[in-house]
Amino acid sequence: MTDNANLKALSDAGVSIWLDDLSREALTSGRLQDAVKNGGVVGVTTNPSIFQVALSDGESYNEQVSKLAADRATLDEAVFAMTTEDVRNACDVLMPVFEATDRTDGRVSIEVDPRLAKDTEGTVAQAKQLRDGVDRPNALVKIPATVEGLPAISRTIADGISVNVTLIFSLDRYRAVMNAYLTGLEQAREAGKDLSQIESVASFFVSRVDTEIDKRLDAITGKDAEAAKKLKGKAGIANARLAYQAYEEVFSTPRWKNLEADGAKPQRPLWASTGVKDPAYPDTMYVTELVAPGVVNTMPQKTLDAVADHGEITGDTITGNYEEATEVLDALERLGISYSDVTAQLEKEGIEKFEKSWGELLDGVQAELDKAAK
C-alpha cells in the first residue's frame, strides 16, 4: 500500500514495484518494512553486486561472522549462511504481500553463484540448495540466461522451484527463456507437480543497452552523425517494448493455454537495470516509458524515490509502440551497430561484473572471518 499518487498510479496500471536492494541494515532498521508498508514495494531483488555492497558493512554482520568463525565454517558456507539469512528474513517481511496477491508478488530473489553461469549441472544443484537454505515459499532463485542456463531453468522449474531468470539482453534469448520456462512447466506437470505453485519472472535489462549503444552512436562521425545523435537513449526502451510484444505472443499460444488450463502462471517480464546512467536523460524514463499490465519493474532506491517525487505515469506506454520500437533497432543496424554484437557483449560483461563482485564479496567475508578467529 502507498499514499503516494505516482506509485499508486504505477501499481494501478499493472506494474509490480520491486526494490533492487537488500541489506541486513535495511531489515534491522525497519527500512524495508516501511517500504513494503508505505512505499508500494511488493518484491525485492538481489544480485552479487548488491550483496557485496551490503556485506562490506561489517557491523551489521559482526555477530553472525563471529559465530561462523567459531563454528569453523568454510568461506562458501559462511557466504551461503549470510545471504540466505537476509533473503529468508526479507521473505518474512514480504509474506503478507505474497499471501494477499495469490503468491504472485511478495517475492525475494537470490542468485546462484555467478561462477556457475556456464555450468548447467552446478546451477541446477545450487538452485536446490538455495531453495532449501532459504526455506520460504516466496523465494525466487535467480539463474542467468546463458546458453548453459537455459536447460538449468527448465530443470529447476520442473523440480517445482520458482525462478527469476536474469541477465537477458536480446529478444532471441528472451524467446529461448520463455521456451525454457514452458518446457519446465510441461516437465513439472508430467512429474505431478502443482503448476499453480510455480512462479517465474524474466529479467530483461534496459539501461545497460543504452549505455553501450550510446557509446557506439557517439563514435559515428560524418554524414551519419546527426542521425546517430537522434537515436541516443532510445534503444533500451525500444528493446524492452519489443520484449513485451514477444511476451504477449508466447503467452497467447495454444501451448501456453494448455498449461494455463492446468493452473500455470505466465512468466512475467521484469524490467531490470532501470536506474538511469546518463544524467542527460530523465531519471524516471525506464519506469514511465515501460508501463504495461503484468510487468515488474525492479528499481534501485534512488529511482524509486525519483518516481515517487516526480514520475509522470500516463498509463500503458508499451503496447501500440511496437512499430516505432522496431524502427529504432532497424535504424541502428543501418548505421552499422550490430544488435547481436551489442547484446552478446552485454551478457559477457554482465557475467564478468557479477563474478568480480562475488570475488570481492568472498575476499571481504574471508577477511572478516580471519579477524573474528583471532
Side-chain angles (χ1 to χ4, degrees), residues 130-270:
L130 289 170
R131 183 265 313 270
D132 295 341
V134 175
D135 193 26
R136 293 293 185 272
N138 51 333
L140 290 174
V141 176
K142 287 179 85 171
I143 298 176
T146 57
V147 170
E148 298 83 357
L150 295 172
I153 292 161
S154 294
R155 288 171 56 184
T156 304
I157 291 291
D159 197 44
I161 300 172
S162 294
V163 174
N164 176 345
V165 184
T166 189
L167 286 178
I168 308 171
F169 296 97
S170 77
L171 296 168
D172 283 348
R173 185 59 55 81
Y174 179 42
R175 287 184 178 276
V177 165
M178 289 188 284
N179 179 65
Y181 175 59
L182 298 185
T183 299
L185 287 175
E186 288 161 348
Q187 293 171 352
R189 181 172 57 188
E190 289 173 15
K193 302 283 186 184
D194 181 353
L195 300 190
S196 70
Q197 305 300 298
I198 301 171
E199 182 77 24
S200 184
V201 293
S203 296
F204 200 87
F205 280 53
V206 187
S207 69
R208 293 190 198 181
V209 174
D210 277 334
T211 299
E212 179 57 32
I213 287 181
D214 282 1
K215 184 170 64 177
R216 299 187 185 203
L217 289 169
D218 283 336
I220 294 174
T221 57
K223 63 182 178 63
D224 290 329
E226 191 60 31
K229 186 178 178 182
K230 290 179 181 177
L231 286 169
K232 287 188 66 177
K234 293 187 175 180
I237 290 168
N239 198 34
R241 286 173 171 171
L242 293 176
Y244 190 81
Q245 181 184 37
Y247 159 76
E248 288 185 309
E249 290 172 1
V250 169
F251 289 95
S252 61
T253 59
R255 181 187 183 191
W256 163 247
K257 293 297 183 183
N258 184 270
L259 287 162
E260 185 180 40
D262 285 332
K265 295 179 180 179
Q267 181 187 53
R268 292 182 294 166
L270 179 152

Side-chain angles (χ1 to χ4, degrees), residues 9-334:
L10 188 62
S11 179
D12 289 346
V15 178
S16 292
I17 300 167
W18 289 11
L19 183 64
D20 194 28
D21 189 23
L22 181 63
S23 67
R24 189 155 299 180
E25 185 277 330
L27 288 158
T28 57
S29 69
R31 185 156 49 84
L32 178 60
Q33 292 86 332
D34 183 64
V36 173
K37 186 177 179 181
N38 303 309
V41 170
V42 295
V44 173
T45 50
T46 65
N47 61 45
S49 299
I50 287 171
F51 272 128
Q52 188 273 323
V53 171
L55 272 71
S56 66
D57 172 21
E59 289 187 14
S60 298
Y61 296 89
N62 281 353
E63 184 178 341
Q64 187 176 17
V65 167
S66 296
K67 184 177 187 308
L68 289 165
D71 292 343
R72 299 186 181 279
T74 66
L75 177 57
D76 285 342
E77 287 170 347
V79 171
F80 184 88
M82 295 161 79
T83 55
T84 54
E85 179 170 327
D86 282 354
V87 170
R88 185 183 312 112
N89 290 336
C91 281
D92 290 342
V93 171
L94 271 296
M95 190 63 72
V97 176
F98 177 70
E99 293 169 347
T101 59
D102 190 26
R103 304 174 66 91
T104 299
D105 283 315
R107 297 281 179 169
V108 184
S109 299
I110 184 168
E111 189 156 344
V112 297
D113 184 333
R115 296 171 297 182
L116 298 172
K118 296 187 178 296
D119 179 350
T120 301
E121 296 299 328
T123 295
V124 172
Q126 194 174 81
K128 294 177 182 178
Q129 291 170 354
L130 289 170
R131 183 265 313 270
D132 295 341
V134 175
D135 193 26
R136 293 293 185 272
N138 51 333
L140 290 174
V141 176
K142 287 179 85 171
I143 298 176
T146 57
V147 170
E148 298 83 357
L150 295 172
I153 292 161
S154 294
R155 288 171 56 184
T156 304
I157 291 291
D159 197 44
I161 300 172
S162 294
V163 174
N164 176 345
V165 184
T166 189
L167 286 178
I168 308 171
F169 296 97
S170 77
L171 296 168
D172 283 348
R173 185 59 55 81
Y174 179 42
R175 287 184 178 276
V177 165
M178 289 188 284
N179 179 65
Y181 175 59
L182 298 185
T183 299
L185 287 175
E186 288 161 348
Q187 293 171 352
R189 181 172 57 188
E190 289 173 15
K193 302 283 186 184
D194 181 353
L195 300 190
S196 70
Q197 305 300 298
I198 301 171
E199 182 77 24
S200 184
V201 293
S203 296
F204 200 87
F205 280 53
V206 187
S207 69
R208 293 190 198 181
V209 174
D210 277 334
T211 299
E212 179 57 32
I213 287 181
D214 282 1
K215 184 170 64 177
R216 299 187 185 203
L217 289 169
D218 283 336
I220 294 174
T221 57
K223 63 182 178 63
D224 290 329
E226 191 60 31
K229 186 178 178 182
K230 290 179 181 177
L231 286 169
K232 287 188 66 177
K234 293 187 175 180
I237 290 168
N239 198 34
R241 286 173 171 171
L242 293 176
Y244 190 81
Q245 181 184 37
Y247 159 76
E248 288 185 309
E249 290 172 1
V250 169
F251 289 95
S252 61
T253 59
R255 181 187 183 191
W256 163 247
K257 293 297 183 183
N258 184 270
L259 287 162
E260 185 180 40
D262 285 332
K265 295 179 180 179
Q267 181 187 53
R268 292 182 294 166
L270 179 152
W271 310 133
S273 184
T274 57
V276 173
K277 309 291 192 293
D278 189 333
Y281 301 147
D283 57 359
T284 62
M285 76 176 195
Y286 297 126
V287 178
T288 61
E289 297 301 314
L290 292 175
V291 177
V295 302
V296 178
N297 195 308
T298 183
M299 312 174 207
Q301 186 66 54
K302 185 177 178 182
T303 302
L304 180 61
D305 292 342
V307 174
D309 182 65
H310 53 266
E312 296 182 11
I313 311 302
T314 57
D316 187 337
T317 52
I318 296 181
T319 57
N321 290 304
Y322 301 143
E323 190 174 332
E324 178 186 342
T326 300
E327 174 52 32
V328 168
L329 298 191
D330 288 347
L332 290 167
E333 291 284 350
R334 289 195 295 270

